[in-house]
Amino acid sequence: SQKIEQNSEALNIQEGKTATLTCNYTNYSPAYLQWYRQDPGRGPVFLLLIRENEKEKRKERLKVTFDTTLKQSLFHITASQPADSATYLCALLNAGNMLTFGGGTRLMVKP
Amino acid sequence: GAGVSQSPSNKVTEKGKDVELRCDPISGHTALYWYRQSLGQGLEFLIYFQGNSAPDKSGLPSDRFSAERTGGSVSTLTIQRTQQEDSAVYLCASSSRGGYSDTQYFGPGTRLTVL
């Protein structure tokens, strides 16, 4: 069956460090992968989209990699700030041409 | 401009009652999605509307769930004979074209609690 796995344990890091979140998937051949941010009590907000032929995508302090051989995407936040604390979700296109979301990883950046 | 809005923000109901949840998408967006998010879980796809095409209902968990979209804009998700396991946050999203690379814009959600 198709699975998208994100670390369900919260990631705690110190302000200024780089946060790295992982998204692993099985039984998918996605053409696209998206990352969203979700704050408590709010809907997810789109951050980045990366295509299968793109190894890396950057946006300000954010960097996403996409390794279709490893079936993994890494999401990096450099120079992290307490305001980056949130849950981060990855999403893939499933066989029905719909986005399927992972369970998300909660990031806590401590000052 | 206005984003996606949902109402009510919170709904508490008794088991067995019917509920209606409303979504107002971003004006001009042709695609509309409903998801369900249980505590600490990812988003579970429920239903997808694209323009005037027949909706993709493949994610609806049972025939107690239905949704409609009137005039290609506002959508209502109806849950009949609610059960305690229906308790979750129901999120609506819209996108301009509906393609799989299209960005989805989410509303704040409706938190449903079934007692």
Side-chain angles (χ1 to χ4, degrees), chain A residues 32 38 43-44 49 93 98-99, chain B residues 37 45 100-101 103-104 106-107:
Chain A
Y32 301 85
Q38 186 172 24
L49 178 151
L93 185 69
M98 295 303 302
L99 273 183
Chain B
Q37 188 173 33
F45 164 74
Y100 50 79
S101 65
T103 300
Q104 294 187 21
F106 284 83

Side-chain angles (χ1 to χ4, degrees), chain B residues 15-75:
Chain B
K15 178 182 173 181
K17 301 278 189 179
D18 298 351
V19 295
E20 285 189 353
L21 312 180
R22 178 186 168 108
C23 172
D24 283 88
I26 293 173
S27 178
H29 278 193
T30 61
L32 187 147
Y33 310 78
W34 282 98
Y35 296 88
R36 177 169 70 174
Q37 188 173 33
S38 301
L39 187 63
Q41 301 296 310
L43 277 70
E44 175 188 3
F45 164 74
L46 298 177
I47 189 169
Y48 163 52
F49 294 90
Q50 169 60 299
N52 296 321
S53 303
D56 178 349
K57 304 179 182 180
S58 59
L60 294 178
S62 79
D63 58 9
R64 296 186 296 106
F65 288 72
S66 63
E68 61 178 24
R69 189 177 185 192
T70 54
S73 181
V74 172
S75 177

Side-chain angles (χ1 to χ4, degrees), chain B residues 3-17:
Chain B
V4 177
S5 61
Q6 292 186 245
S7 61
S9 55
N10 281 284
K11 176 73 176 177
V12 179
T13 190
E14 293 179 349
K15 178 182 173 181
K17 301 278 189 179

Side-chain angles (χ1 to χ4, degrees), chain A residues 36-101:
Chain A
Y36 287 76
R37 167 182 173 144
Q38 186 172 24
D39 291 283
R42 295 179 177 268
V45 174
F46 171 78
L47 295 175
L48 281 169
L49 178 151
I50 186 166
R51 294 172 172 77
E52 62 177 342
N53 60 352
E54 297 176 319
K55 297 299 183 187
E56 182 179 297
K57 196 83 168 278
R58 291 177 184 263
K59 179 182 176 182
E60 298 172 351
R61 293 185 295 111
L62 308 180
K63 184 179 84 171
V64 172
T65 62
F66 191 11
D67 189 325
T68 55
T69 301
L70 291 178
K71 296 187 183 298
Q72 180 182 79
S73 175
L74 299 179
F75 177 82
H76 307 271
I77 305 176
T78 58
S80 60
Q81 304 166 1
D84 295 326
S85 298
T87 295
Y88 292 86
L89 305 163
C90 69
L92 295 176
L93 185 69
N94 68 12
N97 240 25
M98 295 303 302
L99 273 183
T100 300
F101 286 81

